């Protein structure tokens, strides 16, 4: 069962890719780029999902994918014009398909009403309407895995005018290993016209010699169809590489009877050959018909038994064939990659220690040993860069969810929105990718809901009714910068200021610059929407977005021009596995303060430090009194107060936007450190965010600035017992 | 030393002050010399701090302090036993590793009734070997219990 689960997981991974391709293709078609490559790609995506879903008996998914595929097929063969209305239905169908895939993966149900509505809409689009759908219903049962009989009975089929083709098709074992199915191919072929099939089972060995994963059958078909050879080739699109296939045009006046007859003959021959074998095989011999189904079982059993092989084949060859020219990729276990990163981190530390020892041993720079070490250092750094690059992923995986979100929010707000994305290929560490979705979703919602005006307002202002939201990503000075820009009305500053004053966030008579007013929207408890809307008014505002970005070590800023729109810019580190920090010394302990929290460092002067009751002290920085926090005492490293005049103050800002000054003994310097978890072998330590390993191989702790400051405000209760215990 | 037989288990014996203890050898991953640890704030006194074990952060528990003895001032002669405790890896600071014992289960006698909390928390049985008494201890409770963390 585990093996099956693994294959299923791969199927869902592939579904994600197919859905992404589907969405990309549909959006291209919506823009009017309905080239046959695009339409085919879209069709192929839905078809692949349907095929895979059939193998796992995901009935809902198969049924819907089938209807969707049928409608797409009409677009593909030109019977249905991809107009804007049609594409709108298609896009919604793609959304539902994504939901169905998610539902199948997580094992919950999707509202069947939605599915029915879309099925009706899709069917209505099809030329032929209700008749076509009835036919589809019938067709659907074919995808279940109960041994239904597949009758190759063509006597009722009306004669079809057109060319006749002779097709020989001999699958190789790889075809089945990839989860393809001959019966489905034949069925697909049957849709093109009148089909006569004969199966040559002469290659079938005795059961004792039969390789259960082998492929022994060969089909010869006569197809009379109005479609061209291309249409036939397309049926074989997924299997062509793994089979011997010939397609020959011949005259249409062939003998129709011989084909059907030979099918039966072939089955009979096959039956005889199986019965000839002395081994009893009740399931197979009981019925002559389930031949293709026996093949099906074979294929499934094969996947079950050899998931790794099947998966490898699908991913490797299939992928390479589908997009020749695209860079080849492998899937790797994230844990392995992380382990590699750990080891390389160790290598860097070891190399630094080795260099230090060699210098201590008296080797001068420029000596052979020192030169060798320089080279080693160079190589080590290069390896580190390469390993970090393995984890890097394009932001595309996050961006591709956005078009759907835009459609939904646009639908709910009654606004017309066009989304432009840029820089989808920008790469960033997986740790960042995973946590990008929520803030980005919120920013997009905000841009549409608050940024863009309603169409009539836009038209009145002389703008096109359709608003534009531009989402872009780029690398800038070692960080990734993601911008969400709208061409809406911009921030209504007088209104923002009035609301902030009303909510007591600022004094009513405060004089603020434009920039300061814009930044008011990041204050907790600020929400400009006068009516609480379904989209943005969920009690979380831009302050939450800002905080979640800050917790990733990022920054969020806004620029706005009245009447022209607003731009939210978030800048994030390229990885969460490393952190820029200031290395400081406190009571002989080495600590790291995250650089993102630091505003400035300063040398306290006697005149600036003031006591404020108890042991609390404040420091005057440019006319404001900021709490002075003695890090050594706060963390319990020392019991006596530090002399501020002999120490350094680091002005930091908490996630809530409040400032404090941390008092440390000395500053060693600024450096990038690799973040190591304390929890994995120990537990969470209050005031400490994580640990890191310094160049000398020793562990240094990374200060959690927010909790240190929060704890300092309830000092008396926390500090005393710890000191007592330590003493 | 007791003879090796089929139902035997291997224990690793170590010394803390005047007393001898042992743990199942399967839980011990490696033994290394003492290296100065980075002090952790707001931790119990028996947690010496953390060291770098090939890229992983390893907490060091002073087993003497944990078992209620006078904690020693660690010297280069002290050793750290790196042990697996549940899903975590912990370094145990002890005076010295003395022996590897192969004993049968029935050689392990029940813990005598004493008033010591340490004995109740950690000692799972005692062995009498060549006139020495060696206490078999369980490592489950060496790390501080997870307390609710104040927000």
């Amino acid at each position: 069962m585990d093996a099956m689960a693994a294959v299923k997981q791969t199927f869902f991974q592939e579904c994600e890719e197919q859905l992404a391709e589907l969405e990309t293709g549909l959006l291209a078609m919506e823009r009017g780029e309905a080239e046959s490559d695009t339409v085919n790609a879209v069709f192929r995506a839905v078809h692949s999902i349907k095929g895979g879903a059939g193998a796992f008996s995901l009935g809902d998914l198969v049924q819907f994918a089938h209807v969707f595929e049928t409608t797409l097929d009409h677009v593909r063969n030109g019977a249905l014009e991809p107009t804007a209305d049609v594409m709108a239905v298609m896009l919604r169908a793609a959304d539902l398909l994504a939901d169905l895939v998610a539902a199948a993966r997580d094992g919950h149900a999707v509202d069947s009403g939605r599915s029915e509505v879309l099925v009706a809409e899709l069917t209505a689009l099809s030329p032929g309407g209700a008749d076509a759908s009835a036919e589809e219903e019938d067709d659907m049962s074919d995808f279940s895995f109960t041994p239904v009989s597949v009758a190759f009975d063509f006597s009722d089929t009306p004669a079809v005018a057109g060319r006749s083709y002779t097709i020989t098709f001999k699958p190789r074992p790889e075809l089945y290993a990839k989860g393809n199915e001959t019966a489905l191919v034949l069925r697909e072929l049957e849709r093109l016209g009148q089909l006569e099939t004969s199966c040559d089972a002469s290659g079938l060995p005795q059961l004792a010699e039969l390789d259960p994963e082998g492929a022994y059958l060969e089909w010869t078909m006569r197809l009379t169809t109005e479609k061209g050879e291309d249409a036939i080739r397309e049926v074989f699109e997924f299997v062509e590489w793994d089979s011997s296939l010939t397609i020959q045009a011949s005259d249409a006046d062939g003998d129709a009877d011989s084909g059907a007859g030979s099918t039966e003959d072939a089955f009979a021959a096959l039956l005889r050959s199986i019965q000839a074998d002395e081994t009893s095989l009740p399931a197979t011999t009981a019925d002559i018909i389930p031949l293709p189904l026996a093949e099906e079982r074979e294929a499934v059993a094969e996947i079950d038994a050899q998931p790794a092989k099947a998966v490898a084949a699908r991913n490797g060859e299939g992928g390479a064939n589908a997009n020749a020219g695209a860079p080849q990729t492998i899937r790797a276990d994230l844990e392995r990659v992380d382990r590699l990163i750990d080891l390389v981190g160790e290598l860097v530390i070891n190399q630094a220690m080795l260099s230090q020892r060699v210098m201590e041993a008296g080797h001068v720079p420029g000596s052979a040993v020192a030169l060798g070490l320089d080279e080693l250092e160079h190589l080590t750094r290069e390896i580190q860069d390469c390993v970090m690059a393995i984890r890097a992923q394009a932001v595309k995986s996050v961006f591709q969810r956005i078009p759907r979100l835009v459609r939904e929010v646009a639908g709910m707000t009654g606004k017309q929105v066009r989304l432009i994305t840029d820089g989808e290929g920008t790469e960033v560490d997986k740790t960042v990718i995973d946590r990008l979705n929520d803030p980005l979703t919120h920013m997009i919602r905000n841009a549409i809901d608050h940024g863009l005006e309603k169409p009539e307002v836009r038209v009145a202002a002389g703008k096109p009714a359709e608003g534009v939201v531009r989402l872009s990503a780029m690398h800038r000075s070692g960080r990734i910068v993601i911008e969400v820009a709208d061409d809406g009305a911009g921030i209504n500053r007088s209104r923002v200021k009035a609301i902030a004053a009303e909510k007591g966030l600022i004094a009513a008579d405060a004089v603020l610059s434009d920039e300061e007013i814009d930044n008011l929207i990041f204050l907790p408890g600020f929400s400009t929407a006068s009516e609480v809307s379904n989209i943005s008014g969920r009690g979380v505002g831009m302050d939450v977005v800002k905080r979640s970005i800050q917790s990733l070590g990022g920054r969020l800023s806004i620029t706005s021009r009245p009447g022209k729109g607003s731009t939210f810019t978030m800048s994030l580190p390229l990885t969460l596995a490393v952190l820029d920090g200031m290395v400081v010394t406190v009571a002989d302990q080495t600590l790291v303060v995250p650089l993102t929290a630091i505003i400035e460092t300063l040398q306290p002067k006697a005149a600036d430090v003031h006591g404020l009751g108890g042991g609390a002290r404040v420091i005057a920085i440019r006319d404001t009194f900021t709490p002075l926090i003695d890090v050594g005492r706060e963390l319990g490293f020392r019991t006596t107060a530090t002399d501020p005049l002999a120490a350094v103050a680091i002005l930091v800002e908490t996630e809530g936007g409040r400032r404090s000054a941390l008092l440390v003994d000395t500053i060693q310097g600024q450096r990038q450190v690799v973040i190591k978890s304390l929890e994995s072998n120990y537990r969470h330590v209050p005031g400490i965010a994580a640990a890191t390993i310094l160049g000398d191989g020793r562990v240094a702790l990374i200060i959690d600035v927010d909790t240190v400051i929060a704890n300092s405000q309830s000092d008396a209760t926390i500090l005393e017992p710890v000191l007592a215990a330590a003493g | 030393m007791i003879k090796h037989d089929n139902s035997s288990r291997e224990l690793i014996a170590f010394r803390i002050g005047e007393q001898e203890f042992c743990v199942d050898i399967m839980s011990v991953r490696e033994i290394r010399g003492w290296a100065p640890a980075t002090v952790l704030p707001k931790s119990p006194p028996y947690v010496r701090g953390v060291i770098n074990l090939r890229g992983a952060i390893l907490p060091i528990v002073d087993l003497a302090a944990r078992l209620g003895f006078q904690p020693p001032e660690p010297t280069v002669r002290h050793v750290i036993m790196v042990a697996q405790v549940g899903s975590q890896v912990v370094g145990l600071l002890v005076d010295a590793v003395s022996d590897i014992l192969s004993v049968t289960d029935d050689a392990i006698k029940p813990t005598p009734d004493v008033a010591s909390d340490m004995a109740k928390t950690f000692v799972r049985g005692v062995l009498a070997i060549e006139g020495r008494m060696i206490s078999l201890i369980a490592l489950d409770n060496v790390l501080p219990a997870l307390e609710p963390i104040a927000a």
Side-chain angles (χ1 to χ4, degrees):
Chain A
M1 202 53 215
D2 271 344
M4 202 61 192
V7 177
K8 207 163 177 174
Q9 193 188 349
T10 307
F11 162 66
F12 284 121
Q13 277 173 6
E14 287 181 356
C15 273
E16 292 292 320
E17 290 161 19
Q18 302 287 4
L19 286 168
E21 194 153 314
L22 172 64
E23 173 118 25
T24 313
L26 286 176
L27 288 172
M29 285 165 73
E30 195 187 24
R31 287 193 302 269
E33 298 161 19
E35 288 149 16
S36 70
D37 277 358
T38 314
V39 181
N40 281 337
V42 165
F43 183 83
R44 198 163 46 221
V46 178
H47 185 76
S48 303
I49 291 174
K50 184 181 80 168
F56 293 108
S57 307
L58 303 169
D60 288 353
L61 190 53
V62 173
Q63 287 194 13
F64 183 73
H66 183 74
V67 176
F68 193 6
E69 184 188 15
T70 310
T71 311
L72 279 170
D73 195 30
H74 293 306
V75 177
R76 190 166 65 147
N77 59 31
L80 182 65
E81 195 64 27
T83 60
D85 290 345
V86 170
M87 291 318 297
V89 175
M90 294 274 189
L91 281 165
R92 280 194 291 125
D95 292 346
L96 179 63
L97 192 65
D99 287 347
L100 286 168
V101 168
R105 181 185 54 216
D106 306 336
H108 59 76
V110 166
D111 176 19
S112 62
R114 257 182 84 199
S115 173
E116 278 162 22
V117 169
L118 269 168
V119 166
E121 281 184 66
L122 285 170
T123 314
L125 291 177
S126 308
D131 285 351
S133 79
E135 186 187 303
E136 307 309 348
E137 286 298 321
D138 187 39
D139 222 26
M140 236 96 77
S141 59
D142 295 342
F143 288 98
S144 86
F145 255 44
T146 47
V148 290
S149 59
V150 182
F152 292 91
D153 177 8
F154 310 111
S155 51
D156 294 338
T157 320
V160 180
R163 281 186 74 96
S164 176
Y165 296 88
T166 305
I167 305 160
T168 62
F169 176 52
K170 182 170 183 356
R172 284 195 289 271
E174 295 84 26
L175 184 142
Y176 299 112
K178 288 176 188 173
N180 287 306
E181 175 46 58
T182 315
L184 296 178
V185 172
L186 297 184
R187 224 170 281 157
E188 198 69 33
L189 212 52
E190 195 188 341
R191 288 193 198 168
L192 295 178
Q194 187 173 330
L195 183 72
E196 298 151 14
T197 311
S198 68
C199 178
D200 177 9
S202 59
L204 199 67
Q206 290 296 305
L207 194 58
E209 290 140 30
L210 186 130
D211 175 3
E213 293 179 10
Y216 301 102
L217 303 177
E218 182 175 352
W219 282 267
T220 306
M221 289 152 282
R222 264 178 87 81
L223 177 69
T224 310
T225 176
E226 291 172 309
K227 308 253 171 61
E229 189 177 327
D230 287 351
I232 300 171
R233 290 239 172 244
E234 223 171 290
V235 170
F236 291 95
E237 189 176 5
F238 294 117
V239 295
E240 196 178 343
W241 302 102
D242 298 314
S243 61
S244 313
L245 178 71
T246 61
I247 301 176
Q248 271 183 338
S250 58
D251 291 332
D253 54 359
D255 182 6
D257 291 333
S258 68
S262 63
T263 310
E264 274 166 30
D265 287 350
F267 283 157
L270 180 70
L271 177 63
R272 276 195 300 280
S273 78
I274 289 168
Q275 281 172 335
D277 199 291
E278 285 178 4
T279 321
S280 74
L281 234 186
T284 321
T285 54
D287 194 341
I288 175 176
I289 302 301
L291 163 66
L293 293 160
E295 290 269 358
E296 266 172 14
R297 273 190 224 111
E298 194 178 288
V300 170
E302 202 169 327
I303 291 172
D304 204 19
Q306 295 196 313
K309 183 180 154 196
V311 168
R314 271 162 177 248
N315 291 345
E317 294 175 39
N321 287 343
N323 6 290
Q328 294 207 355
T329 58
I330 56 159
R331 289 207 175 95
D333 193 345
L334 193 58
E335 248 174 58
R336 288 188 199 174
V337 176
D338 286 348
R339 179 80 193 122
L340 192 60
I341 287 172
D342 272 358
L343 286 173
V344 171
E346 279 299 286
L347 186 64
V348 171
I349 291 164
N350 247 312
Q351 177 271 325
M353 284 164 67
L354 190 61
S355 298
Q356 207 173 332
R357 300 273 155 80
V358 166
M359 292 306 151
E360 282 165 9
H363 290 273
V364 286
S367 67
V369 174
L371 285 179
L373 272 174
D374 283 350
E375 201 133 307
L376 179 65
E377 179 178 353
H378 198 74
L379 280 172
T380 320
R381 298 281 166 195
E382 203 155 311
I383 292 174
Q384 191 177 30
D385 288 348
C386 289
V387 170
M388 293 305 274
I390 295 179
R391 282 173 59 108
Q393 285 187 329
V395 290
K396 191 175 179 203
S397 59
V398 180
F399 276 20
Q400 70 196 14
R401 296 180 203 157
I402 301 299
R404 172 176 185 180
L405 175 75
V406 169
R407 282 197 297 281
E408 284 178 354
V409 179
M412 274 189 256
T413 53
K415 291 173 182 175
Q416 292 176 26
V417 188
R418 187 153 55 93
L419 177 75
I420 299 174
T421 55
D422 192 23
E424 292 182 321
T426 311
E427 285 189 333
V428 64
D429 191 80
K430 189 172 162 36
T431 47
V432 179
I433 290 265
D434 291 347
R435 295 169 70 178
L436 213 51
N437 204 31
D438 284 353
L440 201 55
T441 303
H442 217 87
M443 283 159 73
I444 294 280
R445 279 186 173 150
N446 186 73
I448 299 172
D449 196 26
H450 298 313
L452 294 179
E453 315 92 321
K454 288 210 179 332
E456 57 272 19
V457 179
R458 289 181 64 91
V459 172
K463 295 187 197 178
E466 188 181 56
V468 174
V469 172
R470 181 183 290 275
L471 173 63
S472 58
M474 71 206 90
H475 281 151
R476 194 185 287 161
S477 57
R479 293 170 77 84
I480 183 170
V481 176
I482 295 177
E483 282 187 357
V484 176
D486 62 68
D487 70 343
I491 286 182
N492 185 341
R493 294 200 174 108
S494 59
R495 195 169 145 66
V496 165
K497 203 178 159 192
I499 289 173
E502 186 189 310
K503 299 204 171 173
L505 300 169
I506 54 165
D509 55 354
V511 179
L512 299 173
S513 68
D514 286 354
E515 194 192 337
E516 281 170 328
I517 295 173
D518 290 350
N519 278 294
L520 288 177
I521 65 164
F522 294 129
L523 288 179
F526 186 91
S527 180
T528 48
S530 41
E531 51 192 287
V532 174
S533 70
N534 193 13
I535 301 120
S536 303
R538 287 184 182 162
V540 292
M542 292 309 286
D543 62 310
V544 177
V545 178
K546 184 165 189 178
R547 234 177 300 150
S548 72
I549 291 169
Q550 279 177 337
S551 74
L552 298 178
R555 294 186 286 266
L556 179 63
S557 62
I558 175 170
T559 54
S560 180
R561 283 193 297 158
K564 301 279 188 195
S566 313
T567 302
F568 286 88
T569 307
M570 77 174 153
S571 130
L572 291 164
L574 289 179
T575 173
L576 298 181
V578 298
L579 169 140
D580 283 316
M582 188 170 279
V583 183
V584 300
T585 309
V586 175
D588 295 332
Q589 299 290 324
T590 303
L591 296 168
V592 179
V593 184
L595 215 54
T596 47
I598 299 177
I599 296 165
E600 60 178 315
T601 60
L602 45 112
Q603 193 78 54
K605 291 189 196 71
D608 295 338
V609 180
H610 307 276
L612 189 70
R617 285 177 296 184
V618 294
I619 183 168
I621 300 170
R622 286 185 291 278
D623 299 340
T624 54
F625 291 102
T626 308
L628 192 59
I629 294 160
D630 189 335
V631 176
R633 270 185 82 175
E634 193 50 47
L635 295 178
F637 290 150
R638 61 159 68 101
T639 50
T640 53
T642 315
D643 175 12
L645 305 185
V648 184
I650 301 175
L651 185 62
V652 293
E653 190 178 51
T654 61
E655 286 177 7
R658 291 174 53 194
R659 293 184 175 193
S660 299
L662 301 179
L663 203 58
V664 303
D665 295 357
T666 51
I667 291 176
Q668 293 182 21
Q670 195 178 312
R671 59 180 296 174
Q672 202 171 54
V673 297
V674 177
I675 297 171
K676 302 278 184 181
S677 158
L678 267 180
E679 282 92 339
S680 61
N681 282 331
Y682 186 56
R683 59 168 184 175
H684 177 77
V685 178
I688 302 300
T692 187
I693 296 166
L694 296 177
D696 61 2
R698 290 200 57 178
V699 178
L701 303 175
I702 301 171
I703 293 181
D704 181 344
V705 172
D706 279 32
T707 46
V708 166
I709 290 170
N711 287 347
S712 74
Q713 277 141 20
S714 50
D715 243 1
T717 51
I718 293 174
L719 193 61
E720 296 314 322
V722 168
L723 285 178
Chain B
M1 201 172 293
I2 286 172
K3 260 190 203 155
H4 197 280
D5 75 60
N6 286 340
S7 65
S8 76
R9 54 199 273 193
E10 297 215 335
L11 303 169
I12 192 158
F14 51 90
R15 221 164 27 74
I16 297 172
E18 298 301 306
Q19 297 191 20
E20 275 195 282
F21 297 87
C22 61
V23 293
D24 194 321
I25 203 165
M26 298 310 288
S27 60
V28 179
R29 297 170 106 197
E30 63 178 284
I31 294 168
R32 50 191 293 138
W34 161 254
T38 299
V39 178
L40 285 175
K42 304 187 179 182
S43 290
Y46 57 81
V47 176
R48 281 269 168 188
V50 286
I51 62 163
N52 165 24
L53 180 74
R54 288 185 298 279
I57 305 292
L58 184 78
I60 302 298
V61 170
D62 186 335
L63 212 49
R66 186 63 174 133
L67 297 177
F69 298 94
Q70 186 62 40
E73 197 49 52
T75 66
V76 284
R77 289 204 303 276
H78 283 80
V79 294
I80 292 170
M81 297 198 313
V82 180
Q84 183 87 38
V85 179
S87 62
Q88 296 186 313
V89 180
V90 183
L92 304 171
L93 177 68
V94 300
D95 286 359
V97 171
S98 52
D99 237 337
I100 290 173
L101 312 169
S102 293
V103 297
T104 52
D105 281 351
D106 52 356
I108 302 169
K109 307 281 184 267
T111 316
D113 278 333
V114 289
S116 154
D117 278 343
M118 178 278 277
K120 285 174 192 154
T121 314
F122 297 105
V123 179
R124 292 287 171 271
V126 294
L127 295 103
I129 290 169
E130 295 164 356
R132 295 137 65 191
M133 187 191 79
I134 303 176
S135 309
L136 174 66
I137 60 171
L139 297 176
D140 309 345
N141 299 318
V142 293
L143 280 182
L146 267 181
E147 300 140 24
I149 295 154

